[in-house]
Amino acid sequence: MLTVIGIGPGSQAMMTVEATEALAAADIIVGYKTYTHLVKAFTGDKQVIKTGMCKEIERCQTAIDLAKEGHNVALVSSGDAGIYGMAGLILELVSQQQAGIEVRVVPGMTASIAAAALLGAPLMHDFCHISLSDLLTPWPVIEKRIIAAGEADFVICFYNPRSRGREGHLARAFDLLMTVKNPATPVGVVKAAGRKKEEKWLTTLADMDYDPVDMTSLVVVGNATTYVKDGLMITPRGYRL
Amino acid sequence: MLTVIGIGPGSQAMMTVEATEALAAADIIVGYKTYTHLVKAFTGDKQVIKTGMCKEIERCQTAIDLAKEGHNVALVSSGDAGIYGMAGLILELVSQQQAGIEVRVVPGMTASIAAAALLGAPLMHDFCHISLSDLLTPWPVIEKRIIAAGEADFVICFYNPRSRGREGHLARAFDLLMTVKNPATPVGVVKAAGRKKEEKWLTTLADMDYDPVDMTSLVVVGNATTYVKDGLMITPRGYRL
């Protein structure tokens, strides 16, 4: 039995009841070391297998092999396992290898939802998720989506906004957006949501400071009606008040 | 004190730890009657104020007025309160009325994430949410977003896909998508996720049967790489396997 668990952005408070139960029931916990650390309240004397960054395929294979041996394995993924997480890779590998194990995906709180609750209510209207990592996606595809999302006035959540080797991606994305959106459009940033070092701030497309943004950050760009009031970022749903 | 709580799609298993704690701590629970029913495990002898459909402003005003009287009020919203839910309206009203009460938004599991975990892993790449309700949004804006999302190859999650008075919206959306996407693109439908009457099925843009789709349904349309295997809908992240 292999359970792929979305553990949410960091704090136990944002885990689902189902995720806490699945963690408690597992014999072995497998995950990227930052994430196994986030669930250490649940590990007790269970075996914990930590793997490094960019070792996704090895990590998933380890979890599958242990499940084939009969263990009850929990593979932890930050946020939701099905959003830029490990659920897809596990299902692809299990199917390709005809591994014959039972797999369950336990959904989790993704970063955009956690960040939105901290910023106010920026996702009250149609929105999209765009990852700015071009490790697995050609950059021209990403640019096409950025422009389309801007032109159709979606609220935009940028995942993986900035990291070593792609410091310029977020700035490039904002430059593209400013060709189709008002440069004064509100922008909210939440860093390390639900973790000890949580930070958040509000700015605009034109005034954005890219330097403090890192891989643990989630960037939300408003639509044409989004405004900031009393320190909160709000996208109206459209009620007449 | 007013806590706007996203209770997830239905089952207690998909509530966050924080949501269960906030429900337990409240004196009064306010919500649409279907949602107050979903949290009845937490109500005990608390006062419960149920309101009808389309009474969002009255519902929020009731919650605000009770909080101003000093009660610890929980306003429950299905899914995530910040996604087509009550969080935005509460923050707008509190700000507009200078209500002077403390508001906290507790994020919840939105329908797309819950549905995706049941379907497989369809949201592994960039995706968007589009509501097909034109009660608060002009239909031409919705059409523009549908076409943009199709052209830029986002996975698309349709909220409020079909209800009395707008039976034809989903069919119209699919007709638009088939002008820019392969008619064989996989589609997943989940109805009443996490509730007793939960159902799910897979189809394609061309083969879609609209009749069983209702307001409790979430419809996921794949991107150009999405496939179905072993009964699961998978959008590859891009790893070479």
Side-chain angles (χ1 to χ4, degrees), chain A residues 85-225:
Chain A
M86 291 295 108
L89 189 50
I90 283 288
L91 294 176
E92 287 191 87
L93 289 170
V94 165
S95 172
Q96 192 180 73
Q97 298 170 7
Q98 303 266 304
I101 55 169
E102 190 189 342
V103 178
R104 188 163 71 99
V105 179
V106 174
M109 179 72 59
T110 191
S112 62
I113 297 180
L118 292 165
L119 292 169
L123 306 184
M124 287 300 301
H125 218 297
D126 303 336
F127 71 92
C128 63
H129 280 188
I130 299 175
S131 168
L132 291 182
S133 167
D134 62 350
L135 288 175
L136 300 168
T137 307
W139 182 253
V141 172
I142 299 172
E143 287 209 349
K144 186 177 180 185
R145 289 181 182 158
I146 293 167
I147 293 165
E151 285 179 339
D153 203 27
F154 284 97
V155 177
I156 306 172
C157 303
F158 286 115
Y159 277 67
N160 306 312
R162 198 162 175 274
S163 68
R164 207 174 299 171
R166 48 176 196 277
E167 286 85 356
H169 286 196
L170 186 62
R172 173 74 184 143
F174 274 38
D175 285 344
L176 287 170
L177 285 177
M178 279 188 280
T179 65
V180 294
K181 286 172 79 79
N182 186 336
T185 302
V187 172
V189 184
V190 178
K191 205 164 161 175
R195 303 186 196 170
K196 277 183 198 162
K197 294 181 178 174
E198 178 180 292
E199 283 179 76
K200 61 175 179 173
W201 64 93
L202 296 170
T203 179
T204 65
L205 278 176
D207 291 338
M208 181 75 178
D209 176 12
Y210 304 102
D211 275 348
V213 178
D214 65 10
M215 275 298 280
T216 72
S217 308
L218 192 286
V219 177
V220 185
V221 178
N223 71 14
T225 67

Side-chain angles (χ1 to χ4, degrees), chain B residues 18-19 25 31 50 70 81 85 91 101 111 114 117-118 130 156 161 170 174 179-180 204 239:
Chain B
E18 195 178 9
K50 307 169 190 182
L91 294 176
I101 56 169
L118 293 165
I130 299 176
I156 305 172
L170 186 61
F174 274 38
T179 65
V180 293
T204 65
Y239 295 102

